[in-house]
Amino acid sequence: MTFASRGIYYVRLMTNDSTKRLLLTGVCRPFGGAGEGDSVGAELFHAQVTRAQGPLSFRQVIRVWAIDYLAENLETPTVCLHYPSERELVRELRTGRYSHVGINFVVATFHKVRAMVALVREHAPGAHIILGGYGTVLPDDVLAPYGDSICREEGIGFMRRLLGEPLDTPYRHPHAPIPSISVLGMQPPTVSGHVTAGLGCPNGCDFCCTSHFFDRRYVRFSSCGRDIYEALVATRDRARADGVEMTSFALIDEDFFLQHKRAREFLECVREGGESFGMLGFGSVRGLSRFTGREIGEMGFDLIWNAFEGKAAGYGKQRGRPLDELYRDLKSVGCGQLTSMIIGFPYQDEEIIRGELEELLALEPGLVQCLIYFAFPGTPFHQQVVAEGRYREAYRDNPDLRRWDGFAMHFSHPKFERPERVEEIQREIYDEDFRRLGPSTMRLARVWLTGFENLRHDESPLLVARAERLRENVRSTLPTLSATMLFGPSPEVRAAAAALRRDVIRLTGALTAVERASEVASPALFVASALARRLGVLQQPGLLRVEFRTPDAAKTQHTKHTLRLQGGLQTGALRALAEDLYAKVAHRRGYPAPPPPPAVQHITQRSHGMPRSLRVVSDAPTCPLPVDDAAE
C-alpha cells in the first residue's frame, strides 16, 4: 500500500469511533549507544548541565510531558509509554489493537524512530503512524517515508482534528509528576510536579528551535495566573491523595515573567493561598527585571533558568538589570540560577570565550549549561549557514543526525582554524565550572541557606514559610556536603563544603541521628555511584506506562508509579541488571544508518522554513487557544 493510499484508507477508518485506540510513546531506550551523543537521553541535568560532576551530578529522569498533555486532552482511549525498550514496545503493539501510534522525538533521536516505525509496521500493520516533537523540523522528504501524519504545531489541536474530536473543549493539565532529584544514588520517595503554562517564545533568537517552531508566537496553555496556581495545587493534592509528597515543581514556560500581567496574577494567588511553592522556572533578564527578588521569592521560585548566551550576542532578551545585581537580588531570597552559555558565535575567539566564562563564573550560578552555537533546521541561523556554504564537509555530505545535539561543531568558524577546538573548549568549560565552583548541590545549598537566614524573621508570613522550606532543602544536602569534603574536585571546593556544613549546623541546628548515618554512608555511596557509571549499569530509565480513559487508567496514573522512571533499583535489581545486559547487546547491533542521499543532504545543502504539518485530514481551524504574537 502506498503512502498516499494508506492515508486515504485511514481517513475512512477514522469515521468509525469504535475502532480508535491511540498509543503515544517517546523513543526507545537504551540511550548512549554507538554514534549517539551522551547529551541526548532521558535526563536533562545529568546529560547537559551537571555532566562533569560525576557521582555528585543531579540524576532525574524527565518524562515525555508532551504525550501526557495530548492523552489528557483527547477523548480516544490512549496509552502513553515513557522510554519503553524495543521488547516492551513490541509487546504493547501486539496486545493493544491500536488504530493510531504517535512517536515523539528530536532530530538526534530520529535513528531510533526509524527502528520503531519498522516495529510498528511489522507488529501493528494497520496502525496510522504520527510523528511529533521538535524532530519534525526535518523536511517532508526525510520524514514522509516513516509517518502517515506529521505534527508541526500545537499538538492537542492537531490530534483532535486528526481523530475527529471536538475542537472547543477546554484544555486540562495532566497529573504528570517526575521523580525528585537523586544524588549519590539516594532516591527520595518524593516527586516533582509539572505544569506547562505555554508553548513557544516571542524572543526569536536566531538559533532557537522553540521560538521558530511556533513562528515566534506564544501559545498559552494557561490564560491567567489563577489557572497556573490551581493546576499546581491540584497536582500536589493528587499526589498527597496517593500518599506521595510533591516537594517541588517545574513550571514550563520559555519566559514566564515576560507575560507580566499573568505572572502578577499568579503572585496574588500565591499570596492569597499563603503556601510556599518550590519551583523551577525559566526567565530572561528582560522578563525578570520587571519583578523584585522578594516577589519572585514569594511566587515560590527556588531556581531560575536564565540565558547568559554570549555577552556580545545582542539578543533583546538580555536587556534589563545588570546580571550581577539581578543575581544578588535573587540569591538574597534563596533563589538560585541555572545559567546557559553559548560558544561558537562568530565574534568569539578562544580568548573572548575564556573572558566571558570568567564573567559567568564570577556570578557563581548554581548550575551552568554550555552549548555550541547550533544551526537547527528551520531557524534563521540554519538558513544563513546553508546560504553561506559553511557546513564542514563531513556534515554537509553525509550529516549524521545523531550529533544534532548542541555538542558538535558542524560548520566552519572565522576565528578557529580547527572547528573541533570549540568542542574541546566546551568540555573544558564544564570541567572548569566544577573544579572552581564545586558540585551544584553545594552551590544551591549556600543560596538556600542565605535565603533562610534573610527570611526566617521576615514580616511576610509567606516568606517566613519559604524560609522554613529552604531550611528543609538545605538539610537534605548534608550527605552530599560530607562526600564533597572528601571527594571534591579541588582543595578550595573541599574547604568550601566544610565551611558550608558548619554554617548549616550553626544556623539550622545539630544533626539528627538519621542525618549522621547518611553522612557516614555517603563515601560508600560515592564510590558505588562512580563504579556503576564506569561499568554502565543502573544508568538507563525505566518504563512508565500510563493509561487514559480505560478501565485501568486510575491505577496506572497512581503517583507512586512515577518512581519507575528513574530506572535502576526502582524497577528491581535483577530486572535492572538484565536491562543493562540487553542494552549492551542492542548497542553492539546498533541502529540503521541515516537515510541515504539525497534526502538527508537537503538538511545541510538546502535551507527551508519551518514546514507545515503533513495532514491526512482537511485543514480545519485550529483549536481556539489564546496566541500572543509578542509579550505584554
Side-chain angles (χ1 to χ4, degrees):
M1 185 181 291
T2 66
F3 174 76
S5 63
R6 190 164 58 241
I8 294 171
Y9 171 74
Y10 280 107
V11 170
R12 294 172 182 163
L13 176 66
M14 286 185 292
T15 61
N16 183 355
D17 289 346
S18 64
T19 66
K20 294 180 190 175
R21 184 170 167 84
L22 173 65
L23 174 65
L24 296 172
T25 179
V27 295
C28 286
R29 67 179 194 277
F31 296 96
E36 296 180 17
D38 57 6
S39 66
V40 178
E43 299 183 66
L44 175 60
F45 289 117
H46 183 62
Q48 295 193 13
V49 181
T50 58
R51 56 192 281 126
Q53 299 184 18
L56 298 171
S57 176
F58 285 7
R59 307 302 300 265
Q60 183 182 45
V61 174
I62 309 295
R63 68 197 289 162
V64 189
W65 282 314
I67 64 177
D68 293 302
Y69 265 85
L70 292 175
E72 178 69 28
N73 287 281
L74 298 174
E75 296 179 354
T76 301
T78 302
V79 171
C80 290
L81 300 182
H82 299 268
Y83 312 116
S85 67
E86 289 187 355
R87 290 182 295 176
E88 290 164 338
L89 175 63
V90 168
R91 182 171 66 243
E92 191 70 43
L93 292 170
R94 286 175 174 172
T95 59
R97 302 177 62 187
Y98 293 104
S99 61
H100 298 74
V101 176
I103 304 174
N104 180 282
F105 71 107
V106 297
V107 171
T109 57
F110 179 51
H111 62 290
K112 291 179 176 284
V113 173
R114 296 185 69 220
M116 293 171 69
V117 168
L119 294 175
V120 175
R121 289 177 174 163
E122 177 182 357
H123 299 286
H128 179 101
I129 299 173
I130 310 149
L131 302 182
Y134 287 124
T136 62
V137 299
L138 298 173
D140 286 347
D141 51 3
V142 174
L143 295 183
Y146 303 100
D148 302 308
S149 293
I150 302 172
C151 175
R152 297 184 177 106
E153 58 186 88
E154 185 280 307
I156 298 172
F158 176 88
M159 291 298 297
R160 285 177 174 176
R161 296 199 308 277
L162 183 66
L163 296 170
E165 296 185 2
L167 301 179
D168 56 355
T169 305
Y171 282 20
R172 301 181 301 272
H173 298 282
H175 178 61
I178 59 176
S180 294
I181 290 173
S182 167
V183 182
L184 297 178
M186 296 183 293
Q187 183 61 54
T190 58
V191 296
S192 178
H194 161 267
V195 169
T196 293
L199 300 176
C201 178
N203 286 319
C205 300
D206 60 347
F207 61 85
C208 181
C209 178
T210 302
S211 191
H212 296 283
F213 192 89
F214 296 97
D215 196 25
R216 296 189 62 177
R217 300 165 68 194
Y218 176 75
V219 182
R220 295 190 183 210
F221 271 24
S222 297
S223 59
C224 62
R226 182 162 296 279
D227 177 65
I228 297 171
Y229 175 81
E230 292 177 351
L232 291 169
V233 171
T235 193
R236 191 271 319 275
D237 290 349
R238 173 86 171 268
R240 285 181 177 173
D242 288 341
V244 181
E245 278 301 310
M246 184 173 284
T247 55
S248 60
F249 301 86
L251 180 55
I252 305 301
D253 188 290
E254 289 296 316
D255 200 344
F256 174 74
F257 303 94
L258 207 57
Q259 309 299 319
H260 182 257
K261 293 180 181 178
R262 188 183 62 179
R264 287 282 175 195
E265 182 180 351
F266 174 73
L267 172 58
E268 291 306 315
C269 290
V270 175
R271 286 170 171 167
E272 291 173 11
E275 295 185 69
S276 177
F277 294 111
M279 295 191 296
L280 159 70
F282 301 76
S284 66
V285 173
R286 178 186 170 197
L288 289 166
S289 296
R290 304 187 71 174
F291 295 86
T292 67
R294 285 179 63 85
E295 290 171 332
I296 293 169
E298 284 181 292
M299 290 183 197
F301 288 100
D302 294 347
L303 184 64
I304 297 290
W305 196 322
N306 172 255
F308 179 87
E309 314 297 34
K311 289 299 294 294
Y315 298 122
K317 66 183 182 182
Q318 296 172 292
R319 301 191 189 107
R321 298 171 66 184
L323 267 182
D324 57 347
E325 173 190 311
L326 177 62
Y327 279 23
R328 280 197 305 272
D329 193 19
L330 292 173
K331 289 177 181 180
S332 71
V333 295
C335 180
Q337 295 80 43
L338 194 171
T339 308
S340 61
M341 178 183 187
I342 292 179
I343 62 174
F345 286 114
Y347 75 86
Q348 291 175 328
D349 57 20
E350 184 162 349
E351 182 180 357
I352 291 174
I353 292 174
R354 297 290 180 187
E356 292 184 345
L357 176 62
E358 289 298 321
E359 292 187 50
L360 173 58
L361 295 183
L363 297 170
E364 297 186 345
L367 304 100
V368 169
Q369 180 194 50
C370 178
L371 298 180
I372 293 173
Y373 192 36
F374 183 66
F376 210 89
T379 62
F381 185 46
H382 177 263
Q383 297 176 10
Q384 176 188 345
V385 171
V386 171
E388 296 173 355
R390 290 173 53 193
Y391 271 106
R392 297 164 56 192
E393 183 177 352
Y395 289 100
R396 184 184 67 245
D397 296 340
N398 187 26
D400 185 348
L401 300 184
R402 291 173 295 189
R403 296 311 314 277
W404 253 247
D405 59 355
F407 284 78
M409 188 66 178
H410 292 178
F411 46 88
S412 59
H413 192 284
K415 304 293 179 66
F416 289 90
E417 293 184 7
R418 193 169 61 89
E420 295 89 347
R421 179 58 186 150
V422 178
E423 298 176 15
E424 295 168 0
I425 293 172
Q426 183 186 39
R427 291 191 291 271
E428 292 167 6
I429 286 173
Y430 278 104
D431 291 339
E432 183 75 359
D433 167 65
F434 181 43
R435 185 186 66 82
R436 289 172 54 179
L437 299 186
S440 292
T441 305
M442 182 182 80
R443 303 184 224 173
L444 290 176
R446 174 59 74 183
V447 172
W448 294 335
L449 186 63
T450 299
F452 165 74
E453 189 172 13
N454 290 341
L455 301 177
R456 57 180 168 168
H457 301 305
D458 197 270
E459 60 185 15
S460 165
L462 182 58
L463 291 179
V464 172
R466 173 179 176 82
E468 182 56 31
R469 184 175 50 74
L470 292 175
R471 177 187 180 279
E472 294 174 3
N473 289 353
V474 170
R475 300 290 293 198
S476 70
T477 68
L478 283 167
T480 307
L481 293 180
S482 180
T484 305
M485 290 164 57
L486 292 174
F487 302 106
S490 67
E492 294 79 10
V493 166
R494 294 192 289 273
L500 176 56
R501 179 181 178 275
R502 289 193 297 269
D503 288 342
V504 170
I505 295 173
R506 175 175 59 84
L507 291 170
T508 67
L511 298 181
T512 65
V514 172
E515 289 169 338
R516 289 187 181 278
S518 297
E519 285 196 332
V520 170
S522 64
L525 292 172
F526 183 96
V527 173
S529 296
L531 184 61
R533 288 191 65 201
R534 182 176 292 273
L535 296 177
V537 299
L538 307 179
Q539 303 299 298
Q540 296 292 334
L543 170 68
L544 177 63
R545 182 182 182 277
V546 188
E547 298 183 16
F548 295 79
R549 291 168 301 282
T550 68
D552 292 329
K555 181 171 66 175
T556 67
Q557 293 180 28
H558 196 286
T559 305
K560 68 180 180 181
H561 297 324
T562 299
L563 295 177
R564 296 174 181 171
L565 279 172
Q566 206 76 336
L569 299 180
Q570 302 298 320
T571 58
L574 293 178
R575 178 177 178 181
L577 292 173
E579 284 286 347
D580 289 327
L581 177 62
Y582 172 74
K584 293 180 184 299
V585 173
H587 286 177
R588 286 197 198 100
R589 183 189 68 214
Y591 284 93
V600 170
Q601 287 184 340
H602 290 170
I603 300 168
T604 56
Q605 298 179 5
R606 184 184 69 195
S607 64
H608 60 271
M610 197 63 66
R612 298 186 65 211
S613 295
L614 183 62
R615 298 183 175 92
V616 295
V617 291
S618 62
D619 289 335
T622 58
C623 289
L625 276 177
V627 175
D628 297 334
D629 291 325
E632 296 157 348

